C-alpha cells in the first residue's frame, strides 16, 4: 500500500510545458484514474510517476519517500502498456517471471510464481505458450500478471482497455476492479474514456492542458465539476453563462433563476456558469407557468428505447433532456416549452 | 498513451547516465577514422603528389595528375563510362520496377526464394559472374549452340569481346541491386491506391503506370542514381568481356594503379569518381527529401 | 490474363538471373578439361579435384578466415554505433553512421585504391591484416544498416516494460534488445561473410597475390586457361551463399531484413 504525492511538478519539453505545477496527494490502496483528452499531459504525468521520464522540477514521493531521481527500474512499479509490450522472444511464463530472473531467483521459484499469477488472472495452463499464440484479451491478462509479479508498490496501467473490443472491455473493467480490491494495491489507470474512469475508479484526476482540473470521486466530478472543462468533458452538460450572487440567484439572459449559492458568489457581480445535466432537466408546457424555468423550443427527439433524448434550444444554447420512455411525451418537435431549472444545479466560477 | 503524447515524448532522448556509455563508441570510432577516413584523406593528398617516373611518388603539390584528365584517352573513357552506366541504370530500373512490384505482391513462399536468388547474385564475385558470362557467350559452350540447335545459326559463334557482352553482364550484375533498392519503398506502398484505381476501372497494367509509378517518382529517381553509381563500380566485366577500347573509369584506375604504377594519377581519377558519386547521391537525396517533405 | 503475364515476366527475369549459374554448374560436369555446354560426359572429378588439392584448399581457407574475422570486426564496429544512435541519439554516433555508409556509396575501386595507398604508407601492404581490416571497414555498411533496421522494429514500450520490471540499461540491452535484433545481426553477418568471401578488388589491391583469397586464385588460374575446376569452385561459392541466406531466412524474417514492411498479421 503506497500513497503517491506530487509536489510542484513541472515537465517541459523545450519551450512546451507539458505539466504545470502539479500538486497531488493520492490515497493508498485505491483505484485512481488520470482522465484527460489526448495531449492533456496525463501520459506525461504517468511516465513521471513510473520514472520513465525525468521531472523538470518538483518532487515525486511514494509513501513520503522522495523518488524523483530514482530511475524506473529502481521504483518497483508494475506497468501495463497500451499494446501490452509483452516480449516477443519470451513465452508466457518467461514474460511473467522476467523481473524475478533479473533478481537471479531460482527457476523453480520463478515458475511457481508465474503459475500462481496465471491462476490469479484465470489463465492457468498457458505458461508455455508463445506470445503470438495469445488473443488480445489473453495478452492483456498476461501483461497484468507480469506487472504484478514483483509485488509492486504501485500498479500503473496506460490505456489498458483501449485495444479491446467493446464487450471484452466492459468485462475487463469489472475484472480489473475485482483484482485491485483483492490485492488492495494502489492502482493508477490512464484513460481518455470518461465512462471508463467513472465506472472503475475511487478517485478521478481530471487533467487538461498540463494542469489538474479536479480531483475527486466519480460522483463529485460529475455532480460538482470544478471547471467548465470538467463539466464539458465528463458527461454531457449545458453551461449557462451568467452572474452568480450570494443571495442564491443566477442572472441569466435578463432572467433571475433560483439556485443554491456557492461560497464564492458575492453581492457583487461574479460571472458564473450554471451546469445543467440532462437527467436534472425536464420540460413542461408554456401554459403551466413553471417557476424557475426558461422558454425553449424542442428541436429534436430521439427514442433510444430505454429512454428518450430531447434536444431543446433557447437562443444559442442547446439543452439535452432525458425523459423516461414509459409514458407518451405529450409534445413534439417544434413545440414551444418551458425548461425547468432545478435549484440543485451546480454553479461553476467562470 | 495517446497519439499526441507519443509524438511529444518520442524525440526526447533520455540522457540519464549516457556520458560514460558513449565511451563504447571509441573503438568503432578509431576503426572507422583510422582505417577508412585516413585512406581516403591520404588518397586525396597523393592525388597532388609528384609521380617519380620510375614508378613511385613523392610528396609535392602538383596539378599534373588532374591536368592529365584532358587527355583524349581519359575523356573518351569518362564519356563511355558515364553513357554505359546511364544506359544500364535506366534499363535496370525500368525492368526492376514492374518486377519488384509484382514480386512484392506474391506469396511469401515465392518472395523469399526470389530474394535469396537476388542476394546470391548480388554477393557473388564479379570474378565468378564474369567467368560465367565468358562461358555463356563463348563459342564452345554458349548460347550460340542453342541457336544452332534451333536452326537460327549455321555454326556457333563467340559473342565476346563486345560492348553488348559487357552490357548484358552488367545488366545482370546491377539488376539485383536495383530490385533490392526499390523493394523497401514498394513493399510499404499503400495497396489501397492501385485497388482504388481498379474500382475506377483501371486494369492492373494501367493502374501500375498511372498510379504506382507516379506515386513512387522519388524512389525511381534515387534508384536510378544508386544503380548508376553501382554500375560505375564494375571493374572486371569491361576487362573480361571487352577490349581495352571499352574500358571504363574503374578499370582505368586499376590499370594505372597496378600495371602502370601511376598511383598519383589513379588517385586523382579516384577522387574525381568519388566526387561525381557524392554529388549525385547528395543531390538526389536533397531532391527526394524536398519532394517528399 | 494480366496475372499470367506478370508471372511470366517475373519468372523470365528469374531465369535470366539464374542463367550464368546454370551454365557454370553445367560445365563443371564435363569429363574432359574443356568447357562444353551442355556438358559432354558426366563426372564429379572436378569437385573432388578442388576438395583434394591444396592449390584450391589454401585460398578457400584464407578466404574463410578473412571473411570470418572481417565479419566479426564489422559487426563489432556497427553494433555500438547503431545502438548509441538509436537509443541515445548521440551525435558522434550519427556522424560515424554516416561515415560507415560511405563505402557503399562509392565505387569499390576508389576504396580499394585508398586502402592500397594507406597500407603501403604505413607498411602493412601484403599482410593478412591489411586484407582483413580493409574488408571489415569496407563491409561495415551492411551491419550498420541491418542492425539499425532491426533496432527500428523494437517498440519503445518493450524498453519501458523492462525498465519498470527492474532492468537497468545494461540488462535491458542484454535481455531485450540483443535477443530481438539477433536475427538481424545474424543476417548482416551472413551477408558480410559472403561479400568478403567474394570480394576481389580490395583483396587484390592491398595484397597483390601474397594473401591469396579465393577470387584472386580464380583470376590467377583464368590466366592459364579455363578448366571445369573453376566452374566447380564457382558452384561451391554459389551454394555457400545460397545455403547461408537460406539459413538466415529460416531463423529470421529475411524480407524484413532487406527492408520490407512486416505484412504478417
Amino acid at each position: 500500500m503506497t500513497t503517491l504525492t506530487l509536489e510542484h511538478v513541472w515537465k517541459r519539453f523545450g519551450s512546451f510545458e507539458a505539466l504545470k505545477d502539479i500538486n497531488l496527494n493520492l490515497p493508498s490502496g485505491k483505484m485512481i484514474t488520470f482522465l484527460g483528452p489526448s495531449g492533456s499531459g496525463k501520459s506525461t504525468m504517468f511516465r513521471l510517476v513510473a520514472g520513465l521520464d525525468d521531472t523538470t522540477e518538483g518532487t515525486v514521493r511514494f509513501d513520503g519517500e522522495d523518488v524523483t531521481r530514482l530511475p524506473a527500474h529502481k521504483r518497483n512499479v508494475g506497468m501495463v502498456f497500451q499494446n501490452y509490450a509483452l516480449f516477443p522472444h519470451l513465452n508466457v511464463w518467461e514474460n511473467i517471471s522476467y523481473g524475478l530472473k533479473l533478481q537471479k531467483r531460482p527457476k523453480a521459484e520463478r515458475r511457481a510464481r508465474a503459475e500462481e499469477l496465471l491462476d490469479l488472472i484465470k489463465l492457468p495452463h498457458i505458461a508455455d505458450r508463445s506470445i503470438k499464440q495469445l488473443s488480445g484479451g489473453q495478452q492483456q491478462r498476461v501483461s497484468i500478471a507480469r506487472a504484478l509479479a514483483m509485488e509492486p508498490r504501485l500498479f500503473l496501467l496506460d490505456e489498458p482497455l483501449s485495444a479491446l473490443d467493446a464487450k471484452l472491455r466492459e468485462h475487463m473493467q469489472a475484472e480489473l476492479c475485482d483484482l485491485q480490491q483483492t490485492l488492495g494495491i494502489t492502482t493508477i489507470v490512464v484513460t481518455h474514456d470518461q465512462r471508463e474512469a467513472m465506472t472503475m475508479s475511487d478517485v478521478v484526476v481530471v487533467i487538461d492542458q498540463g494542469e489538474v482540473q479536479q480531483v475527486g470521486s466519480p460522483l463529485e466530478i460529475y455532480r460538482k465539476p470544478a471547471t467548465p472543462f470538467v463539466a464539458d468533458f465528463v458527461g454531457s452538460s449545458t453551461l449557462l453563462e451568467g452572474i452568480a450572487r450570494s443571495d442564491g440567484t443566477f442572472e441569466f439572459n435578463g432572467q433571475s433563476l433560483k439556485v443554491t449559492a456557492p461560497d464564492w458568489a458575492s453581492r457583487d457581480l461574479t460571472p458564473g456558469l450554471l451546469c445543467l445535466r440532462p437527467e436534472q432537466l425536464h420540460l413542461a408546457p408554456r401554459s403551466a407557468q413553471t417557476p424557475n424555468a426558461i422558454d425553449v423550443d424542442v428541436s429534436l427527439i430521439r427514442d433510444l428505447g430505454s429512454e428518450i433524448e430531447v434536444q431543446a434550444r433557447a437562443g444559442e444554447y442547446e439543452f439535452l433532456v432525458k425523459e423516461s420512455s414509459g409514458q407518451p411525451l405529450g409534445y413534439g418537435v417544434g413545440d414551444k416549452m418551458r425548461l425547468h431549472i432545478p435549484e440543485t444545479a451546480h454553479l461553476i466560477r467562470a | 498513451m495517446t497519439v499526441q503524447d507519443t509524438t511529444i515524448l518520442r524525440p526526447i532522448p533520455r540522457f540519464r547516465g549516457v556520458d560514460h556509455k558513449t565511451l563504447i563508441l571509441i573503438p568503432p570510432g578509431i576503426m572507422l577514422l583510422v582505417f577508412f577516413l585516413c585512406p581516403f584523406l591520404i588518397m586525396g593528398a597523393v592525388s597532388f603528389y609528384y609521380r617519380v617516373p620510375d614508378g613511385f611518388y613523392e610528396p609535392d603539390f602538383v596539378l599534373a595528375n588532374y591536368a592529365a584528365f584532358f587527355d583524349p584517352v581519359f575523356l573518351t573513357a569518362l564519356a563511355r563510362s558515364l553513357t554505359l552506366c546511364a544506359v544500364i541504370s535506366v534499363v535496370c530500373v525500368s525492368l526492376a520496377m514492374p518486377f519488384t512490384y509484382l514480386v512484392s505482391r506474391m506469396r511469401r513462399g515465392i518472395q523469399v526464394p526470389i530474394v535469396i536468388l537476388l542476394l546470391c547474385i548480388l554477393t557473388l564475385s564479379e570474378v565468378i559472374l564474369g567467368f560465367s558470362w565468358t562461358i555463356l557467350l563463348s563459342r564452345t559452350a554458349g548460347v550460340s549452340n542453342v541457336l544452332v540447335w534451333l536452326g537460327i545459326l549455321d555454326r556457333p559463334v563467340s559473342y565476346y569481346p563486345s560492348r553488348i557482352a559487357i552490357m548484358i553482364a552488367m545488366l545482370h550484375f546491377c539488376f539485383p541491386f536495383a530490385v533490392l533498392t526499390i523493394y523497401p519503398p514498394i513493399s510499404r506502398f499503400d495497396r489501397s491506391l492501385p485497388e482504388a484505381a481498379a474500382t475506377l476501372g483501371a486494369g492492373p497494367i494501367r493502374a501500375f503506370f498511372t498510379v504506382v509509378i507516379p506515386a513512387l517518382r522519388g524512389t525511381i529517381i534515387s534508384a536510378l542514381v544508386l544503380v548508376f553509381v553501382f554500375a560505375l563500380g564494375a571493374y572486371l566485366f569491361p576487362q573480361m568481356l571487352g577490349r581495352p577500347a571499352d574500358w571504363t573509369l574503374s578499370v582505368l584506375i586499376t590499370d594505372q594503379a597496378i600495371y602502370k604504377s601511376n598511383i598519383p594519377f589513379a588517385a586523382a581519377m579516384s577522387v574525381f569518381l568519388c566526387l561525381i558519386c557524392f554529388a549525385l547521391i547528395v543531390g538526389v537525396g536533397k531532391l527526394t527529401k524536398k519532394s517528399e517533405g | 490474363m494480366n496475372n499470367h503475364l506478370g508471372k511470366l515476366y517475373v519468372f523470365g527475369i528469374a531465369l535470366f538471373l539464374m542463367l550464368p549459374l546454370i551454365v557454370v554448374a553445367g560445365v563443371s560436369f564435363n569429363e574432359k578439361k574443356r568447357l562444353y555446354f551442355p556438358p559432354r560426359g558426366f563426372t564429379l572429378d572436378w569437385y573432388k579435384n578442388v576438395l583434394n588439392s591444396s592449390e584450391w584448399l589454401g585460398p578457400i581457407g584464407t578466404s574463410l578466415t578473412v571473411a570470418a574475422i572481417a565479419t566479426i570486426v564489422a559487426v563489432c564496429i556497427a553494433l555500438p554505433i547503431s545502438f548509441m544512435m538509436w537509443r541515445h541519439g548521440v551525435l558522434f554516433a550519427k556522424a560515424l553512421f554516416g561515415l560507415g555508409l560511405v563505402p557503399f556509396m562509392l565505387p569499390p575501386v576508389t576504396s580499394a585504391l585508398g586502402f592500397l595507398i594507406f597500407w603501403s604508407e604505413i607498411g602493412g601492404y601484403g599482410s593478412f591484416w591489411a586484407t582483413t581490416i580493409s574488408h571489415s571497414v569496407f563491409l561495415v555498411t551492411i551491419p550498420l544498416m541491418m542492425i539499425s533496421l532491426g533496432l527500428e522494429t523494437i517498440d519503445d514500450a518493450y524498453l519501458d516494460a523492462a525498465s519498470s520490471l527492474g532492468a537497468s540499461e545494461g540488462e535491458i540491452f542484454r535481455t531485450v534488445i540483443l535477443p530481438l535484433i539477433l536475427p538481424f545481426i545474424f543476417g548482416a553477418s551472413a551477408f558480410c561473410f559472403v561479400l568478403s568471401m567474394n570480394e576481389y578488388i580490395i583483396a587484390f589491391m592491398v595484397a597483390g597475390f601474397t594473401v591469396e583469397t579465393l577470387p584472386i586464385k580464380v583470376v590467377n588460374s583464368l590466366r592459364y586457361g579455363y578448366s571445369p575446376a573453376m566452374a566447380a569452385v564457382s558452384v561451391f561459392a554459389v551454394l555457400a551463399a545460397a545455403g547461408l541466406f537460406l539459413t538466415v531466412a529460416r531463423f529470421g524474417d529475411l524480407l524484413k531484413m532487406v527492408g520490407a514492411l512486416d505484412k504478417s498479421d
Side-chain angles (χ1 to χ4, degrees):
Chain A
M1 299 264 246
T2 307
T3 59
L4 171 66
T5 315
L6 278 77
E7 294 165 359
H8 302 291
V9 169
W10 289 77
K11 178 69 183 177
R12 295 187 189 94
F13 297 109
S15 62
F16 176 71
E17 292 180 331
L19 293 176
K20 300 167 201 165
D21 196 25
I22 303 287
N23 288 287
L24 275 178
N25 198 349
L26 298 169
S28 78
K30 297 284 193 239
M31 190 79 156
I32 299 152
T33 37
F34 289 176
L35 174 66
S38 310
S40 59
K42 61 183 190 303
S43 296
T44 307
M45 196 155 96
F46 179 79
R47 290 175 66 84
L48 295 188
V49 171
L52 295 171
D53 277 316
D54 293 334
T55 51
T56 312
E57 261 176 61
T59 314
V60 180
R61 293 180 194 279
F62 291 178
D63 280 334
E65 175 201 344
D66 183 353
V67 296
T68 318
R69 298 288 146 216
L70 212 57
H73 69 271
K74 292 189 181 139
R75 285 198 191 181
N76 193 17
V77 290
M79 288 187 80
V80 172
F81 294 83
Q82 196 168 3
N83 59 357
Y84 318 132
L86 292 170
F87 303 126
H89 60 292
L90 302 177
N91 67 21
V92 169
W93 85 266
E94 286 166 338
N95 258 288
I96 295 175
S97 61
Y98 174 86
L100 298 167
K101 185 159 187 196
L102 290 174
Q103 295 185 344
K104 309 213 162 46
R105 304 272 188 85
K107 187 177 171 182
E109 183 192 330
R110 283 184 273 138
R111 176 84 193 194
R113 177 74 178 142
E115 306 258 2
E116 186 187 322
L117 283 156
L118 283 169
D119 284 341
L120 182 74
I121 57 163
K122 301 182 186 101
L123 282 176
H125 318 303
I126 65 156
D128 294 303
R129 295 240 190 111
S130 90
I131 298 305
K132 285 192 198 100
Q133 290 171 292
L134 304 183
S135 68
Q138 287 173 323
Q139 288 194 24
Q140 160 84 285
R141 287 161 195 244
V142 172
S143 79
I144 289 171
R146 182 177 70 175
L148 294 172
M150 311 284 292
E151 289 172 350
R153 301 174 76 174
L154 285 179
F155 185 30
L156 307 174
L157 301 96
D158 185 5
E159 302 270 3
L161 307 172
S162 62
L164 302 177
D165 59 62
K167 196 143 193 195
L168 196 55
R169 195 178 315 163
E170 269 176 34
H171 185 71
M172 278 309 291
Q173 275 175 13
E175 221 164 283
L176 260 179
C177 290
D178 280 353
L179 192 65
Q180 192 272 333
Q181 263 159 24
T182 327
L183 299 172
I185 183 171
T186 312
T187 302
I188 297 175
V189 178
V190 166
T191 182
H192 63 274
D193 181 344
Q194 46 107 357
R195 283 178 58 108
E196 198 170 293
M198 293 319 224
T199 47
M200 284 171 75
S201 30
D202 301 315
V203 179
V204 180
V205 180
V206 187
I207 303 160
D208 185 49
Q209 308 212 328
E211 286 172 296
V212 172
Q213 303 283 331
Q214 190 171 7
V215 182
S217 71
L219 210 61
E220 271 173 339
I221 301 272
Y222 187 76
R223 291 261 173 88
K224 296 185 158 46
T227 65
F229 171 80
V230 179
D232 189 51
F233 190 68
V234 180
S236 43
S237 63
T238 306
L239 295 175
L240 297 184
E241 266 177 75
I243 308 290
R245 292 181 193 279
S246 57
D247 62 359
T249 51
F250 182 73
E251 303 273 346
F252 165 72
N253 220 0
Q255 238 180 311
S256 190
L257 298 169
K258 213 171 150 41
V259 294
T260 321
D263 10 315
W264 51 264
S266 66
R267 286 238 159 255
D268 311 321
L269 309 174
T270 317
L273 294 164
L274 192 63
C275 171
L276 301 173
R277 298 291 192 187
E279 64 281 349
Q280 290 179 304
L281 303 175
H282 66 259
L283 294 164
R286 290 258 168 108
S287 55
Q289 291 298 320
T290 320
N292 226 29
I294 50 180
D295 288 345
V296 295
D297 299 333
V298 176
S299 56
L300 186 75
I301 297 177
R302 249 190 324 203
D303 196 336
L304 299 177
S306 57
E307 61 193 7
I308 299 172
E309 272 184 14
V310 180
Q311 256 178 40
R313 279 175 179 283
E316 64 196 284
Y317 293 101
E318 200 163 75
F319 302 88
L320 191 66
V321 180
K322 283 193 177 152
E323 302 267 14
S324 68
S325 61
Q327 60 257 34
L329 277 177
Y331 59 84
V333 174
D335 286 0
K336 299 196 180 302
M337 306 288 286
R338 293 276 287 173
L339 180 75
H340 173 70
I341 309 284
E343 273 181 45
T344 53
H346 179 66
L347 250 172
I348 305 169
R349 192 171 195 163
Chain B
M1 198 186 294
T2 55
V3 180
Q4 275 92 336
D5 288 1
T6 326
T7 46
I8 292 165
L9 292 169
R10 249 274 180 181
I12 307 305
R14 305 185 50 218
F15 283 103
R16 194 184 269 159
V18 161
D19 290 344
H20 67 276
K21 280 191 199 98
T22 50
L23 291 179
I24 63 161
L25 283 175
I26 290 176
I30 288 176
M31 286 299 285
L32 285 184
L33 295 178
V34 172
F35 295 108
F36 185 69
L37 195 59
C38 269
F40 269 90
L41 295 179
I42 297 176
M43 183 171 75
V46 168
S47 73
F48 293 105
Y49 280 13
Y50 172 68
R51 188 208 173 195
V52 181
D54 58 10
F56 220 60
Y57 51 84
E58 54 189 37
D60 202 339
F61 186 81
V62 293
L63 294 172
N65 305 310
Y66 288 94
F69 285 3
F70 296 102
D71 180 0
V73 176
F74 174 81
L75 287 179
T76 42
L78 176 65
R80 200 166 45 232
S81 304
L82 299 182
T83 338
L84 176 71
C85 295
V87 171
I88 295 289
S89 161
V90 169
V91 176
C92 253
V93 174
S94 321
L95 289 174
M97 278 304 294
F99 179 84
T100 315
Y101 178 72
L102 290 166
V103 167
S104 73
R105 295 163 69 93
M106 285 178 163
R107 276 186 292 119
R108 217 187 148 73
I110 300 177
Q111 276 196 58
V112 172
I114 288 180
V115 168
I116 290 179
L117 174 67
L118 294 169
L119 286 174
C120 279
I121 292 173
L122 189 66
T123 51
L124 266 189
S125 177
E126 255 191 81
V127 175
I128 288 174
L129 290 175
F131 168 64
S132 315
W133 282 107
T134 56
I135 300 172
L136 201 62
L137 299 172
S138 72
R139 192 172 54 79
T140 50
V143 282
S144 62
N145 292 289
V146 181
L147 298 179
V148 171
W149 184 73
L150 288 171
I152 298 170
L153 282 181
D154 290 334
R155 54 198 162 102
V157 292
S158 174
Y159 290 107
Y160 83 98
S162 71
R163 246 171 237 180
I164 291 293
I166 301 175
M167 288 192 62
I168 292 176
M170 285 189 51
L171 198 62
H172 182 262
F173 176 63
C174 298
F175 186 80
F177 181 79
V179 173
L180 290 173
T181 313
I182 52 184
Y183 185 57
I186 284 201
S187 73
R188 286 177 169 80
F189 185 71
D190 188 354
R191 257 130 230 263
S192 57
L193 281 180
E195 277 161 14
T199 61
L200 296 171
I205 293 177
R206 230 174 112 183
F208 177 75
F209 284 104
T210 55
V211 176
V212 181
I213 295 280
L216 289 169
R217 220 172 358 183
T219 304
I220 294 173
I221 294 171
S222 50
L224 282 172
V225 167
L226 290 173
V227 175
F228 178 79
V229 170
F230 186 77
L232 273 177
Y235 48 86
L236 268 178
F237 296 129
Q239 268 176 293
M240 291 177 90
L241 298 164
R243 305 178 182 88
D246 303 320
W247 287 2
T248 57
L249 221 48
S250 282
V251 185
L252 282 189
I253 293 174
T254 332
D255 185 56
Q256 287 294 335
I258 305 286
Y259 302 105
K260 305 252 164 63
S261 300
N262 191 348
I263 302 262
F265 183 41
M269 284 197 279
S270 204
V271 168
F272 180 68
L273 195 57
C274 286
L275 290 180
I276 295 181
C277 297
F278 248 129
L280 276 173
I281 290 175
V282 171
V284 84
K286 285 231 169 95
L287 202 76
T288 46
K289 217 171 243 163
K290 214 178 271 170
S291 68
E292 276 161 19
Chain C
M1 187 59 215
N2 281 325
N3 205 356
H4 291 295
L5 215 63
K7 270 188 190 145
L8 201 68
Y9 181 76
V10 167
F11 290 112
I13 285 187
L15 191 68
F16 168 69
L17 292 174
M18 281 189 289
L19 205 57
L21 311 182
I22 294 168
V23 173
V24 165
V27 296
S28 70
F29 300 125
N30 273 302
E31 238 168 275
K32 299 238 172 62
K33 197 181 170 177
R34 292 293 301 275
L35 303 180
Y36 288 115
F37 189 84
R40 303 205 177 152
F42 180 86
T43 176
L44 291 175
D45 284 354
W46 300 107
Y47 288 90
K48 285 181 203 146
N49 184 331
V50 167
L51 290 176
N52 288 328
S53 74
S54 61
E55 189 197 339
W56 286 105
L57 287 182
I60 290 176
T62 308
S63 268
L64 286 175
T65 323
V66 169
I69 298 175
T71 301
I72 293 169
V73 175
V75 170
C76 290
I77 294 175
L79 188 58
I81 296 176
S82 306
F83 176 75
M84 293 307 279
M85 188 172 89
W86 170 75
R87 181 82 169 125
H88 301 292
V90 179
L91 212 62
F92 183 47
K94 281 185 193 164
L96 288 177
F97 186 84
L99 185 62
L101 295 186
V102 171
F104 261 50
M105 300 195 324
L106 298 176
V109 174
T110 59
S111 307
L113 185 67
F115 291 136
L116 161 70
I117 296 170
F118 175 78
W119 290 107
S120 24
E121 289 287 332
I122 69 159
Y125 180 84
S127 73
F128 170 80
W129 288 106
T131 309
T132 311
I133 292 180
S134 302
H135 268 189
S136 65
V137 295
F138 176 69
L139 296 173
V140 82
T141 313
I142 303 281
L144 271 181
M145 294 209 299
M146 284 177 79
I147 292 174
S148 295
L149 249 164
L151 288 169
E152 288 304 322
T153 63
I154 298 178
D155 189 337
D156 277 3
Y158 291 146
L159 311 180
D160 290 343
S163 198
S164 74
L165 291 164
S168 63
E169 280 287 303
E171 283 166 329
I172 293 177
F173 180 75
R174 202 165 41 77
T175 57
V176 181
I177 298 172
L178 203 56
L180 288 177
I181 60 169
L182 212 55
F184 289 84
I185 294 180
F186 183 46
S189 303
F191 207 163
C192 251
F193 186 84
V194 176
L195 277 173
S196 168
M197 282 289 290
N198 281 288
E199 205 291 321
Y200 168 73
I201 190 75
I202 291 171
F204 174 60
M205 290 263 240
V206 303
F209 302 113
T210 52
V211 181
E212 198 181 35
T213 61
L214 193 58
I216 293 179
K217 169 70 187 163
V218 173
V219 171
N220 277 341
S221 358
L222 286 176
R223 288 167 206 273
Y224 303 109
Y226 286 13
S227 119
M230 284 169 228
V233 169
S234 306
V235 170
F236 278 133
V238 177
L239 288 181
L244 259 178
F245 292 130
L246 266 173
T247 320
V248 171
R250 265 200 71 85
F251 289 104
D253 189 336
L254 188 71
L255 300 184
K256 221 182 196 172
M257 282 178 211
V258 296
L261 187 67
D262 187 13
K263 273 181 297 230
S264 64
D265 31 7

